[in-house]
Amino acid sequence: MGINREVGIIGGGVSGLLACKYMLEKGFHPIVFEAQSSVGGVWTKTLATTKLQTPKDIYQFSDFAWPSSVTDDFPDHQQVLDYITSYAHHFHLLRHIKFNTKVEQIHYEGSSEEEMRAWHLWNGTGEPFTSKGKWRLSLKNTLNHELTQEYKVDFLILCVGRFNGVPNIPEFGPKKGPEMFKGKVIHSMDYASMDNQTALDFVKGKRVTVVGFQKSALDITMECSAVNGVEHPCTVLYKTEHWNLPDYLPWGIPLAYFYLSRFSEFTLHKPGQGFLLTLLATILSPLRWAFAKFVESHIKRKLGLAKFGMVPKHGFLKDVSSCLISTVPEKFYDKVQEGSIVLKKAPSFSFTQEGILVDGEAETLKTDIVILATGFKGDQQLKNIFASPTFQDLILGSPKEILPLYRECIHAEIPQMAVIGFSESVSNLYTSEMRCRWLAELLDGKFKVPSIEEMKKDMRKWDAYMKRYSGEYYRRSCIAILNVWYNDQLCKDMGLNPYRKKGLFAELFQPYGPMDFSTASSSS
């Protein structure tokens, strides 16, 4: 079926490489458009000291294991980048990539918007391809910034991710923003794009304030404290305490047993489950609570959170359900103890000439550099790539609901297009690979998606699940701790057996990971 079908893939990160590999396997002609000069996505612009967030046995390709030379459970930035690059070479993907080529905008050429509004099925027919529909891509060379030729494809996969592109900059009132500050204000993406020595020279001997308390903020803070010590402490401004992990072994038991096993998911009310599973989740709710408390007790003990006033007021389940879990760099709180890192709670703040004024305080926090580790507006990056205002509105959906993607992959009302790697999970590589396999089977005609209304109904169920467990920390794209249930749906669509373990005990209690879905066991 893939004969003469061109599939455009925007982004040469992990998701883009996976999409390319699985499209090739089905006989399609993929072409990857990558704005940078190499593969790796966010890993090409990451702090040198950054390590993998999840254990490597969960973050790996199902058919390309980590090399035996990588012995650390949490490989460093360079090891991860080398691993991803090796994958691209192993499967001969580089020949299908146009480097230094940024897709400025995408234009759909086919049915009119009036026709599309009347559709009952995705693409009007339920098929992934139509005879007259194509996507036209406007390209720019990132080396000379000149517009190059336009390109047309039969299907388009957006693998732009959500941790790059459009920085999330806090909003400030008149005369309260960075323009008032005589020092330097940068976003964490600017810091990460510097080479290691330039970054260290930038903060050396300076009073640095880092805004944020997720992974980038913690890593940048550690680098600053290592350079400046107690003489120029690095201040961290944070809004809310979160259950960041010291490791993945609460009291010596792998965390995956609590949140990546089939039994652990029996304790959760899952979208689309039947009466018996709903009843079981209700009966097992005390166990769900106990899992979280068990993990919390380990974190509090290991990091000494009470001593630093950093015990969150909400439970661990809310954080892990919202994809808000980060790993704390080794000896982070030792640096707090010695005084080279200062933690300061600041629900809101403004800038003055000399630094930052935390709302409710009288004295300015004097600083030379402010680094905003405040994340990215990934949804805006998705929106901006569409030329059509209608498609821009459709891809964003309601700000009070999940990003409207069926199976976290396709938009019911946008034809011949998929989005891979935007929605988060416990392990993004693992999840992206499953989605790419699902999409490849869909494009190959192995199954069809349901009607537009049925897809919307399914998305509403997932939205209700996310809101139920995330509470006030609800985010619009996070399947979080329902990896097994989510993969079950993908497997059933593809006609694969979702039960991958040997024996009932293993099936219930052993954690699921990428190797359970290796190609060798696909038909088991």
Side-chain angles (χ1 to χ4, degrees), residues 6 28 56 93 95 155 260 269 306 310 317 323 326 358 381 397 434 447 453 473 483 511:
E6 285 212 328
F28 296 107
K56 71 174 188 287
L93 305 181
R95 67 184 70 166
F155 196 92
L260 274 179
H269 292 86
M310 293 298 290
L317 183 64
C323 296
S326 297
V358 174
Q381 183 173 228
M434 291 300 293
F447 67 94
E453 189 48 49
Y473 303 110
N483 268 59

Short mmCIF file of all heavy atoms in Angstrom, two decimals, residues 6 28 56 93 95 155 260 269 306 310 317 323 326 358 381 397 434 447 453 473 483 511:
data_model
loop_
_atom_site.label_atom_id
_atom_site.label_comp_id
_atom_site.label_asym_id
_atom_site.label_seq_id
_atom_site.Cartn_x
_atom_site.Cartn_y
_atom_site.Cartn_z
N GLU A 6 4.17 9.49 -0.36
CA GLU A 6 5.19 10.27 0.35
C GLU A 6 4.63 10.74 1.69
O GLU A 6 3.54 11.33 1.75
CB GLU A 6 5.65 11.46 -0.48
CG GLU A 6 6.57 11.08 -1.62
CD GLU A 6 7.59 12.19 -1.92
OE1 GLU A 6 7.26 13.37 -1.73
OE2 GLU A 6 8.71 11.85 -2.35
N PHE A 28 6.39 2.99 2.61
CA PHE A 28 6.14 4.39 2.28
C PHE A 28 7.47 5.09 1.99
O PHE A 28 8.54 4.54 2.25
CB PHE A 28 5.40 5.09 3.42
CG PHE A 28 4.03 4.55 3.69
CD1 PHE A 28 3.77 3.78 4.82
CD2 PHE A 28 2.98 4.78 2.81
CE1 PHE A 28 2.51 3.26 5.06
CE2 PHE A 28 1.71 4.27 3.04
CZ PHE A 28 1.48 3.50 4.17
N LYS A 56 17.21 3.58 31.98
CA LYS A 56 17.41 3.32 30.57
C LYS A 56 16.67 2.08 30.06
O LYS A 56 16.38 1.98 28.88
CB LYS A 56 18.91 3.20 30.25
CG LYS A 56 19.61 1.95 30.76
CD LYS A 56 21.05 1.91 30.24
CE LYS A 56 21.74 0.59 30.54
NZ LYS A 56 22.11 0.44 31.94
N LEU A 93 18.49 5.69 8.43
CA LEU A 93 17.46 6.73 8.37
C LEU A 93 17.99 8.06 7.86
O LEU A 93 17.23 8.88 7.35
CB LEU A 93 16.84 6.93 9.76
CG LEU A 93 16.25 5.69 10.44
CD1 LEU A 93 15.65 6.06 11.79
CD2 LEU A 93 15.20 5.02 9.56
N ARG A 95 19.59 9.02 5.29
CA ARG A 95 19.40 9.31 3.87
C ARG A 95 18.00 9.88 3.59
O ARG A 95 17.76 10.43 2.51
CB ARG A 95 19.61 8.05 3.04
CG ARG A 95 18.56 6.98 3.26
CD ARG A 95 18.85 5.69 2.50
NE ARG A 95 19.98 4.98 3.07
CZ ARG A 95 20.28 3.71 2.78
NH1 ARG A 95 19.54 3.04 1.92
NH2 ARG A 95 21.32 3.12 3.33
N PHE A 155 0.81 12.50 3.24
CA PHE A 155 0.44 12.43 4.66
C PHE A 155 1.52 13.16 5.44
O PHE A 155 2.69 13.17 5.03
CB PHE A 155 0.34 10.97 5.13
CG PHE A 155 -0.39 10.81 6.44
CD1 PHE A 155 -1.75 10.58 6.47
CD2 PHE A 155 0.29 10.92 7.65
CE1 PHE A 155 -2.44 10.44 7.67
CE2 PHE A 155 -0.38 10.79 8.87
CZ PHE A 155 -1.75 10.54 8.87
N LEU A 260 3.78 0.94 36.66
CA LEU A 260 3.92 0.45 35.29
C LEU A 260 3.53 -1.02 35.16
O LEU A 260 3.93 -1.68 34.21
CB LEU A 260 5.35 0.65 34.79
CG LEU A 260 5.70 2.01 34.18
CD1 LEU A 260 7.16 2.06 33.77
CD2 LEU A 260 4.81 2.34 32.99
N HIS A 269 -9.37 4.27 37.98
CA HIS A 269 -10.56 4.30 37.13
C HIS A 269 -10.12 4.74 35.73
O HIS A 269 -9.76 5.89 35.51
CB HIS A 269 -11.60 5.26 37.70
CG HIS A 269 -12.20 4.78 38.98
ND1 HIS A 269 -11.61 5.03 40.22
CD2 HIS A 269 -13.31 4.04 39.24
CE1 HIS A 269 -12.35 4.49 41.17
NE2 HIS A 269 -13.38 3.87 40.61
N ALA A 306 11.38 17.83 54.96
CA ALA A 306 10.80 18.57 56.09
C ALA A 306 11.77 19.63 56.61
O ALA A 306 11.38 20.74 56.96
CB ALA A 306 10.40 17.61 57.20
N MET A 310 10.09 21.73 52.30
CA MET A 310 9.78 21.41 50.91
C MET A 310 8.82 20.22 50.77
O MET A 310 8.73 19.62 49.70
CB MET A 310 11.08 21.10 50.15
CG MET A 310 12.00 22.31 49.99
SD MET A 310 11.24 23.65 49.05
CE MET A 310 11.22 22.93 47.42
N LEU A 317 0.37 11.06 43.95
CA LEU A 317 -0.44 10.62 42.82
C LEU A 317 -0.77 11.77 41.88
O LEU A 317 -0.79 11.60 40.66
CB LEU A 317 -1.73 9.95 43.31
CG LEU A 317 -2.62 9.36 42.22
CD1 LEU A 317 -1.92 8.23 41.48
CD2 LEU A 317 -3.94 8.86 42.81
N CYS A 323 2.37 14.25 35.03
CA CYS A 323 3.69 14.26 34.37
C CYS A 323 4.54 15.39 34.93
O CYS A 323 5.25 16.08 34.19
CB CYS A 323 3.56 14.37 32.86
SG CYS A 323 2.74 12.95 32.08
N SER A 326 10.11 15.07 38.38
CA SER A 326 11.49 15.21 37.92
C SER A 326 12.40 14.46 38.89
O SER A 326 12.02 14.21 40.03
CB SER A 326 11.91 16.69 37.89
OG SER A 326 11.14 17.41 36.97
N VAL A 358 9.66 39.76 45.23
CA VAL A 358 8.63 38.76 45.45
C VAL A 358 7.40 39.46 46.03
O VAL A 358 7.52 40.25 46.97
CB VAL A 358 9.13 37.65 46.41
CG1 VAL A 358 8.00 36.68 46.75
CG2 VAL A 358 10.31 36.92 45.79
N GLN A 381 3.44 26.24 19.46
CA GLN A 381 4.30 25.81 18.37
C GLN A 381 3.51 24.97 17.37
O GLN A 381 3.67 25.11 16.15
CB GLN A 381 5.49 25.01 18.92
CG GLN A 381 6.47 24.59 17.84
CD GLN A 381 7.72 23.94 18.38
OE1 GLN A 381 8.82 24.28 17.99
NE2 GLN A 381 7.57 22.99 19.27
N GLY A 397 -7.97 23.17 20.23
CA GLY A 397 -9.16 22.75 20.97
C GLY A 397 -9.46 23.69 22.12
O GLY A 397 -9.00 24.84 22.16
N MET A 434 5.30 3.11 20.33
CA MET A 434 4.01 2.45 20.21
C MET A 434 3.08 3.24 19.29
O MET A 434 2.34 2.68 18.48
CB MET A 434 3.39 2.27 21.58
CG MET A 434 4.10 1.26 22.47
SD MET A 434 4.13 -0.40 21.77
CE MET A 434 2.39 -0.83 21.80
N PHE A 447 -6.33 -1.37 9.87
CA PHE A 447 -7.56 -1.08 10.63
C PHE A 447 -8.00 0.33 10.28
O PHE A 447 -7.27 1.08 9.63
CB PHE A 447 -7.33 -1.22 12.13
CG PHE A 447 -6.41 -0.19 12.72
CD1 PHE A 447 -6.90 1.00 13.27
CD2 PHE A 447 -5.02 -0.38 12.72
CE1 PHE A 447 -6.05 1.95 13.80
CE2 PHE A 447 -4.16 0.57 13.25
CZ PHE A 447 -4.67 1.74 13.79
N GLU A 453 -17.37 11.42 15.61
CA GLU A 453 -18.07 11.57 16.89
C GLU A 453 -17.61 10.54 17.91
O GLU A 453 -17.46 10.84 19.10
CB GLU A 453 -19.59 11.46 16.68
CG GLU A 453 -20.41 11.83 17.92
CD GLU A 453 -19.99 13.14 18.57
OE1 GLU A 453 -19.86 14.15 17.86
OE2 GLU A 453 -19.76 13.14 19.81
N TYR A 473 -3.43 20.25 39.12
CA TYR A 473 -2.20 20.20 38.31
C TYR A 473 -2.46 19.57 36.94
O TYR A 473 -1.54 19.14 36.25
CB TYR A 473 -1.11 19.45 39.06
CG TYR A 473 -0.83 20.09 40.40
CD1 TYR A 473 -1.19 19.47 41.58
CD2 TYR A 473 -0.27 21.37 40.47
CE1 TYR A 473 -0.98 20.09 42.81
CE2 TYR A 473 -0.07 21.99 41.69
CZ TYR A 473 -0.42 21.35 42.85
OH TYR A 473 -0.23 21.96 44.06
N ASN A 483 0.02 3.74 31.15
CA ASN A 483 0.76 3.23 30.01
C ASN A 483 0.24 1.87 29.54
O ASN A 483 0.09 1.63 28.34
CB ASN A 483 2.25 3.11 30.35
CG ASN A 483 3.02 4.34 29.98
OD1 ASN A 483 2.72 5.43 30.45
ND2 ASN A 483 4.00 4.20 29.11
N PRO A 511 6.45 -5.13 35.77
CA PRO A 511 6.29 -3.88 35.01
C PRO A 511 6.42 -4.12 33.51
O PRO A 511 7.15 -5.00 33.06
CB PRO A 511 7.45 -3.01 35.51
CG PRO A 511 7.86 -3.62 36.82
CD PRO A 511 7.60 -5.08 36.68
#
